[in-house]
């Protein structure tokens, strides 16, 4: 008979339900494409392409596919100073400029950016005897700005010092923050920046994490005290989360209190998403601008000090709320979603919750926890069961088992263990900050006698299992 194992207190986390109200309005319906519709079509010859204000003339027209412009690869890139190589044996275009390397495989819906896989809206194509590449993806990842003038039927590409001379980018305030009228500092990266700029400034991230929101997180977790997450979509930064020590939003910076925020800004109570005609109630201090949505996280148990910030492209933020309720929330429509991508998003939450626990411990000089895979499996099974059987408890409504028996089932011989659970938060970031604002869960996270952690996430259910083995 096994000796009885000691358990630290196990507390149930409060659920943050995001209330929403339907507004009157008729649902929109889109018609399918007409028969014979061609995905790729040649653009009209009268469409102009301008590079730093000078028109470039092609001897073959560019191509439109899914609303994206493809151009002959050597046309644009060599003019921008890039070296372009073509390997016909493997159907790959190689592009080099300064410290950036791009690999585009003909027909593939992903590209390689400095060895990292990134999604493409449209793949590279062979048309006639020429290799065509997506204009916006390649240009913006070489640090250029690309815009379309519908009236003049022209594509304008600006790069190098011309970006600053043209006023498209201001050296003091990033262009994507121009509607904020204040200085924003997030490790030199702004929402809207090209992925290539991120790699040049910060180097390779520790890992990539998937989401169901169309972007992938680049996790810079190498230094817990300067933890940074960047959401990358179509080769651009669309969201930034930082709980590090070097961010700044106008007069607000780490360690400021909520009163400081409220003295300078008017926070929003709800987010209206026109596509779904729903108002989502906001439970965190949030600022909503024309282009950007900014969320602040604070420590209610330490004088309401602001500890982290999230900046999002406003459209991406709206999508995050809408898709969470559609696919992950128990209140949603339970529509079928790609299970592999869903699991990838859940794993991202698991990793980020684990990271953020260690960020809190590092800030206080506590030992860093290591990952416990068997504890993570027990946590995942509990989260899955809570969601499927629609309950929220440390004791299984199906088997009657509590944490000690669930760990026993995994063969974990422990002397100390603890469990935190949460439900209803949009992602792992919000789960973590919610748990840190609850004294019992905070004690588990900061317990100096605990050594390992496993996290399991299933849809909107989250479980942390802390374990110190014998």
């Amino acid at each position: 008979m096994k000796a009885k194992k000691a358990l630290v207190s196990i507390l149930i986390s409060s659920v943050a339900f995001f209330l929403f109200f339907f507004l009157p309005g008729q649902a929109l319906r889109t018609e399918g494409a007409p028969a014979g519709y061609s995905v790729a079509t040649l653009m009209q010859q009268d469409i102009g392409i301008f590079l730093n204000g000078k028109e470039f003339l092609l001897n073959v027209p560019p191509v439109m596919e899914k609303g994206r412009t493809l151009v002959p690869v050597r046309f644009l890139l060599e003019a921008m100073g890039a070296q372009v190589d073509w390997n016909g044996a493997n159907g790959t275009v190689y592009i080099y400029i300064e410290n950036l390397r791009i690999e585009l495989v003909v027909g593939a819906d992903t590209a390689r950016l400095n060895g990292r896989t990134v999604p493409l809206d449209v793949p590279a194509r062979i048309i006639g005897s020429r290799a065509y590449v997506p204009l916006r993806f390649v240009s913006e990842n070489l640090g250029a700005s690309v815009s379309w003038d519908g009236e003049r039927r022209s594509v304008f590409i600006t790069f190098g010092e011309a970006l600053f001379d043209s006023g498209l980018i201001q050296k003091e305030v990033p262009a994507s923050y121009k509607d904020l009228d204040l200085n924003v500092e997030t490790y030199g990266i702004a929402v809207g920046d090209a992925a290539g700029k991120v790699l040049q400034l910060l180097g390779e991230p520790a890992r990539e994490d998937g989401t169901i929101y169309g972007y992938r997180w680049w996790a810079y977790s190498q230094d817990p005290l300067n933890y940074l997450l960047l959401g990358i979509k179509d080769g651009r930064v669309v969201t930034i989360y930082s709980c590090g020590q070097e961010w700044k939003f106008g007069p607000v910076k780490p360690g400021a209190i909520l009163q400081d925020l409220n003295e300078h800004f008017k926070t929003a109570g709800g987010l209206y998403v026109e596509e779904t005609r729903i108002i989502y109630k906001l439970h965190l201090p949030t600022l909503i601008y024309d282009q950007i949505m900014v969320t602040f996280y604070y420590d209610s148990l330490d004088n309401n000090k602001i500890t982290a910030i999230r900046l999002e492209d406003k459209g991406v933020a709206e999508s995050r709320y809408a898709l969470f309720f559609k696919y992950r929330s128990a209140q949603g429509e339970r529509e079928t979603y790609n299970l592999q991508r869903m699991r990838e998003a859940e794993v991202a939450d698991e990793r980020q919750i684990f990271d953020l626990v260690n960020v809190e411990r590092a800030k206080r000089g506590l030992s860093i926890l290591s990952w416990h895979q068997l504890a993570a499996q027990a946590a995942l099974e509990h989260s899955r069961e809570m969601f499927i059987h629609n309950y929220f408890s440390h004791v299984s409504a199906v088997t009657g088992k509590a944490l000690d028996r669930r760990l026993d089932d995994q063969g974990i011989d422990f002397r100390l263990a603890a469990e935190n659970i949460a439900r209803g938060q949009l992602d792992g970031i919000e789960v973590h900050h919610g748990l840190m604002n609850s004294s019992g869960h905070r004690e588990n996270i900061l317990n100096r006698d605990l050594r390992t952690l496993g996290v399991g996430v299933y849809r909107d259910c989250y479980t942390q299992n802390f374990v110190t083995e014998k």
Side-chain angles (χ1 to χ4, degrees):
M1 184 174 181
K2 291 184 178 179
K4 185 174 180 63
K5 303 171 180 69
L7 294 175
V8 294
S9 57
I10 301 171
L11 300 170
I12 299 177
S13 61
S14 301
V15 182
F17 288 109
F18 291 83
L19 304 179
F20 54 93
F21 305 89
F22 289 92
L23 298 182
Q26 184 176 1
L28 299 177
R29 182 171 61 93
T30 57
E31 300 293 343
Y37 174 75
S38 174
V39 175
T41 57
L42 290 178
M43 293 174 64
Q44 294 184 26
Q45 297 283 349
D46 63 348
I47 290 181
I49 297 183
F50 291 80
L51 187 61
N52 283 352
K54 296 181 179 180
E55 186 171 11
F56 268 67
L57 300 176
L58 292 170
N59 57 4
V60 292
V63 166
M64 287 292 291
E65 180 172 342
K66 296 181 180 178
R68 301 299 188 193
T69 306
L70 285 81
V71 295
V73 61
R74 295 189 185 278
F75 153 71
L76 172 69
L77 301 176
E78 291 183 347
M80 295 175 66
Q83 175 187 341
V84 181
D85 294 329
W86 162 251
N87 187 330
N90 59 14
T92 303
V93 179
Y94 298 93
I95 303 162
Y96 307 90
I97 186 168
E98 296 181 351
N99 297 321
L100 188 64
R101 170 189 169 105
I102 301 175
E103 300 173 34
L104 291 161
V105 178
V106 171
D109 58 5
T110 60
R112 299 282 289 174
L113 190 66
N114 279 3
R116 181 166 316 284
T117 301
V118 294
L120 293 172
D121 285 344
V122 294
R125 299 288 192 203
I126 294 292
I127 301 176
S129 60
R130 298 175 183 266
Y132 282 69
V133 294
L135 172 64
R136 181 176 293 273
F137 169 81
V138 176
S139 299
E140 292 182 349
N141 280 287
L142 294 177
S145 170
V146 181
S147 61
W148 164 253
D149 186 330
E151 292 185 3
R152 298 171 62 182
R153 296 185 57 74
S154 296
V155 177
F156 289 88
I157 305 161
T158 311
F159 74 101
E161 286 300 315
L163 280 169
F164 301 102
D165 297 339
S166 68
L168 289 172
I169 294 181
Q170 302 174 41
K171 293 184 179 181
E172 294 79 15
V173 181
S176 55
Y177 297 154
K178 61 185 179 182
D179 60 333
L180 302 183
D181 194 27
L182 49 81
N183 187 38
V184 181
E185 295 291 341
T186 43
Y187 294 86
I189 303 300
V191 172
D193 279 348
K197 177 183 177 181
V198 175
L199 294 172
Q200 290 175 354
L201 286 181
L202 304 179
E204 296 285 340
R207 67 169 189 275
E208 281 189 42
D209 294 333
T211 71
I212 65 169
Y213 308 123
Y215 59 84
R216 295 184 66 81
W217 285 115
W218 287 12
Y220 288 87
S221 56
Q222 298 91 329
D223 177 5
L225 297 182
N226 289 292
Y227 187 82
L228 180 68
L229 294 172
L230 302 175
I232 308 294
K233 179 180 180 180
D234 298 335
R236 313 293 295 181
V237 177
V238 296
T239 181
I240 300 171
Y241 167 82
S242 176
C243 57
Q245 301 171 323
E246 298 180 11
W247 62 265
K248 186 178 180 182
F249 187 85
V252 180
K253 58 185 179 179
I257 60 176
L258 279 184
Q259 183 179 349
D260 297 331
L261 176 67
N262 293 329
E263 285 178 357
H264 293 94
F265 302 100
K266 182 178 181 181
T267 58
L271 172 66
Y272 172 60
V273 178
E274 185 173 359
E275 181 180 353
T276 59
R277 298 182 181 272
I278 293 174
I279 296 178
Y280 298 91
K281 184 175 177 61
L282 300 172
H283 294 272
L284 293 164
T286 304
L287 308 177
I288 299 178
Y289 297 90
D290 290 341
Q291 301 177 32
I292 300 290
M293 181 165 137
V294 188
T295 303
F296 296 90
Y297 301 89
Y298 63 96
D299 191 336
S300 64
L301 301 179
D302 186 12
N303 300 313
N304 288 333
K305 288 182 180 177
I306 296 174
T307 58
I309 187 173
R310 186 196 310 230
L311 300 109
E312 298 174 272
D313 172 271
K314 187 166 178 284
V316 168
E318 292 173 350
S319 178
R320 182 166 67 92
Y321 276 79
L323 292 180
F324 170 84
F325 280 101
K326 185 174 184 178
Y327 292 122
R328 291 189 66 169
S329 171
Q331 301 168 289
E333 302 172 18
R334 300 288 186 95
E335 292 191 15
T336 301
Y337 188 76
N338 183 294
L339 295 180
Q340 181 178 347
R341 289 184 61 189
M342 179 67 75
R343 182 62 197 136
E344 188 179 7
E346 293 164 350
V347 169
D349 284 334
E350 293 168 358
R351 290 172 171 174
Q352 291 168 15
I353 291 170
F354 175 79
D355 286 346
L356 291 171
V357 166
N358 280 327
V359 167
E360 301 292 351
R361 293 176 70 91
K363 287 179 179 179
R364 295 161 177 83
L366 299 173
S367 61
I368 299 298
L369 302 182
S370 57
W371 180 262
H372 197 302
Q373 185 57 43
L374 292 177
Q377 185 60 38
L380 176 59
E381 291 177 1
H382 188 58
S383 291
R384 181 187 292 114
E385 188 183 277
M386 285 194 295
F387 184 86
I388 292 173
H389 295 280
N390 196 29
Y391 73 91
F392 184 62
S393 172
H394 291 278
V395 178
S396 169
V398 179
T399 66
K401 293 180 180 180
L403 173 61
D404 55 348
R405 291 182 62 190
R406 291 197 294 272
L407 296 181
D408 280 342
D409 289 346
Q410 294 294 329
I412 303 172
D413 195 11
F414 64 94
R415 64 179 177 83
L416 193 65
E419 182 174 82
N420 288 338
I421 60 175
R423 183 166 190 179
Q425 292 82 358
L426 270 72
D427 58 22
I429 293 171
E430 297 191 358
V431 166
H432 169 76
H433 289 284
L435 293 174
M436 282 297 294
N437 283 330
S438 167
S439 58
H441 305 94
R442 184 190 189 98
E443 288 176 9
N444 286 344
I445 291 171
L446 302 179
N447 189 318
R448 64 179 60 250
D449 295 322
L450 291 168
R451 296 289 179 265
T452 68
L453 170 61
V455 184
V457 177
Y458 190 85
R459 302 303 189 269
D460 71 338
C461 293
Y462 309 83
T463 302
Q464 292 176 321
N465 282 345
F466 301 84
V467 171
T468 298
E469 295 188 88
K470 288 185 175 179

